[in-house]
Amino acid sequence: MEELDGDPTLTFIPGVNSKKRQMCFDWGPGEMLVCETLFKKKEKEEKVPGCPLIYIVRKDIDVYSRILRKLFNESHGIFVGLQKIEEESTGKSRKAQLVRVSKNYRSVIRACMEEMHQVAIAAQDPICGRQYSSQVSILSAMELIWNLCEILFIEVAPAGPLLLHLLDWVRLHVCEMDGLSADVLGSENPNKHENFWNLPGNTQTLTELELKWQHWHEECERHLQDGTFASNPHLESLCKVCRVEIMLGDDNALLEQKELLSNWYHFLVTRLLYSHPTVKPIELHFYAQSSLDLFLGGDSSPEPLDNILMAAFEFDIHQVIKECSIALSNWWFVAHLTDLLDHCKLLHSHNLYFGSNMREFLLLEYASGLFAHHSLWQLGVDYFDHCPELGRVYLELHIERIPLNTEQKALKVLRICERRQMTEQVRSICKILAMKAVCNNRLGSALSWSIRAKDAAFATLVSDRFLKDYCERGSFSDLDLIDNLGPAMMLSDRLTFLGKYREFHRLYGEKRFADAASLLLSLMTSQIAPRSFWMTLLTDALPLLEQKQVIFAAEQTYELMQCLEDLTVGRPEPRKLGGQRSQEDDVETTKVEMLRLALARNLARAIVKEGTLEGS
């Protein structure tokens, strides 16, 4: 295994002393639950926890920031659009598209940074204000890094234009420069303004700059060597101090003005402007490293941001991504930057040893963090979709853990699964919703979900509940659903019986007695009806047996009589309470006697009718 680049961050659990007490933990998709397991002893050996709390440790807390959620939402659209860029587009067209995408990402970062800055200023609580200010600094560093990567890796600026891009880079990120420029240019005599010489600004073309720089260099060197200012020591001193030596590229003269330079990369670009305006990309790392060493002067060690920028100047993309992954608090930056660089064909040679390439690994980590949030998980789906190797597996695992708090959310998850033909996940979600509906006694909804899940066992369970309710209330609920089951009733025998039994009632209501009688008999003789429901079916046959016209033929009547005998044979003797039979047994006995009488009368009528028909 590779060694860690640094010690992991410590997370302190409030109220728990880990040196004296034991803790247990359980991992979740985006968080960890921690609780105390060592108990104090009291009298009578009763044990109570010293810290009876469960603490939640979240690894992606940034998803809960309102402002950063805007960053996640808006960058999602840019990401999806980037995946649709035609692979056929090449050369300048493709490069222009990729640069435009990069600038869009940076504009989103800057917008969030500006909003966070306003919130930090308006914060009433000093602690919150400091937290927001810290986040502003992080966002600013992110844009600084991204902008430099855009110049070096995406724009791939050649010698000459490279310095112009770097000047814009410094001008954009050293905030006071814009204000100073506005003050100087807005004054009546800009060249007499006190800050005129403090701005290393440049608005000229590369050719003009190079020609004038060469001319300045020659003139300054000639005047100093000829002793032009020797008669006036003050003027000569002023000439040296006020940028003459800077124009000659004297690093010491630049360092004397260190207070005007906010950081080492500001020093670097200023140094290049005056001494090496046509610097080549391949030379950047040399000037960057020497500028860092000169600026820090051994007084302090480089910060993580310094290491990231240095890796960029060395054109070490993988080191940039690695350092950013360590330094930043979430995966957003590295995931999107890596994806963009991958589209620039810069990362294809770098595969990770555990089966996925760097782009996919970072996108998977970022999307997994989004699934810890109650609404941002929807964005994570698209990121998983664009991870060809492991995206599908990750999506299946994460989507099963989404809490289905509402039916609306459940339907949203279900649509996502159905579009991607995730059969097992669709079935699992439908089962969960069916169970919830049963618990809430919403049988129609439960039956609908069980059919959608194609779960025969659960459909049988719900069908039994429908039949039980019918026996208790004498009517069906959710008639529209039962009446329109269609081919779905074939999912299970019990569901088929429920649909056919409802059809029997509909035929009876329409006074289609012969059809109703045939259907009722077929339900019993085909064994599709549960035996526990036979008495109900035979009871339903009573009104048909008592009709004026003969509904059941003699053969059908024999079959009904056989069903009644099969049901009563082997039944236990009626229970007696205090020497008397229970009321329930009396009712059951009465039903059987009435059925036998009705069947006997119908059989006699049917035989007479059929004999008369044969005789005629």
Side-chain angles (χ1 to χ4, degrees), residues 278-290:
T278 57
V279 63
K280 298 176 182 177
I282 198 172
E283 300 169 339
L284 269 180
H285 74 280
F286 165 74
Y287 292 110
Q289 186 62 61
S290 59

Side-chain angles (χ1 to χ4, degrees), residues 135-147:
Q135 196 66 60
V136 170
S137 300
I138 294 172
L139 289 169
S140 177
M142 286 165 59
E143 198 207 348
L144 177 76
I145 300 165
W146 193 297
N147 196 352

Side-chain angles (χ1 to χ4, degrees), residues 4-204:
L4 291 174
D5 294 278
D7 293 331
T9 304
L10 290 177
T11 301
F12 293 97
I13 311 301
V16 172
N17 185 341
S18 58
K19 294 181 180 179
K20 295 183 178 180
R21 304 188 187 284
Q22 299 171 344
M23 290 184 291
C24 69
F25 63 90
D26 188 28
W27 288 106
E31 58 195 19
M32 180 174 67
L33 300 180
V34 182
C35 62
E36 182 187 321
T37 58
L38 183 62
F39 293 82
K40 295 179 182 178
K41 291 186 177 181
K42 279 192 170 184
E43 296 179 0
K44 300 181 181 179
E45 296 299 320
E46 182 184 359
K47 295 182 179 180
V48 295
C51 179
L53 300 173
I54 294 178
Y55 189 78
I56 301 176
V57 181
R58 291 191 172 97
K59 69 174 183 178
D60 289 304
I61 58 174
D62 288 342
V63 298
Y64 299 95
S65 166
R66 178 183 61 82
I67 297 174
L68 290 181
R69 282 203 298 274
K70 292 184 180 179
L71 174 70
F72 302 146
N73 276 305
E74 294 184 27
S75 60
H76 164 261
I78 301 172
F79 170 83
V80 172
L82 174 59
Q83 313 311 309
K84 297 177 182 177
I85 289 182
E86 295 293 334
E87 288 293 332
E88 291 76 20
S89 59
T90 56
K92 292 183 178 180
S93 171
R94 182 174 179 81
K95 178 179 175 180
Q97 286 180 313
L98 295 171
V99 171
R100 185 167 60 252
V101 169
S102 179
K103 292 183 186 296
N104 288 341
Y105 275 127
R106 286 202 294 115
S107 68
V108 172
I109 298 174
R110 180 158 285 271
C112 289
M113 180 176 67
E114 291 173 355
E115 184 176 353
M116 190 78 76
H117 179 63
Q118 295 301 320
V119 172
I121 294 173
Q124 302 282 334
D125 183 5
I127 296 177
C128 290
R130 286 194 295 273
Q131 290 176 344
Y132 287 129
S133 297
S134 174
Q135 196 66 60
V136 170
S137 300
I138 294 172
L139 289 169
S140 177
M142 286 165 59
E143 198 207 348
L144 177 76
I145 300 165
W146 193 297
N147 196 352
L148 183 60
C149 290
E150 180 184 300
I151 294 168
L152 300 179
F153 305 138
I154 304 173
E155 293 248 20
V156 197
L162 175 59
L163 180 59
L164 298 180
H165 284 298
L166 291 176
L167 282 168
D168 290 336
W169 175 61
V170 168
R171 186 179 294 116
L172 179 63
H173 296 284
V174 179
C175 301
E176 65 270 15
M177 290 182 63
D178 288 335
L180 288 174
S181 298
D183 288 344
V184 172
L185 296 175
S187 64
E188 188 174 343
N189 294 307
N191 59 326
K192 293 182 179 180
H193 195 281
E194 61 179 356
N195 288 322
F196 177 76
W197 288 104
N198 291 344
L199 297 172
N202 177 49
T203 59
Q204 302 175 20

Side-chain angles (χ1 to χ4, degrees), residues 548-567:
K548 289 183 179 180
Q549 72 270 29
V550 177
I551 305 297
F552 288 102
E555 185 64 30
Q556 292 176 317
T557 307
Y558 280 127
E559 289 182 299
L560 287 173
M561 295 174 78
Q562 183 61 51
C563 289
L564 179 60
E565 291 306 311
D566 291 344
L567 185 62

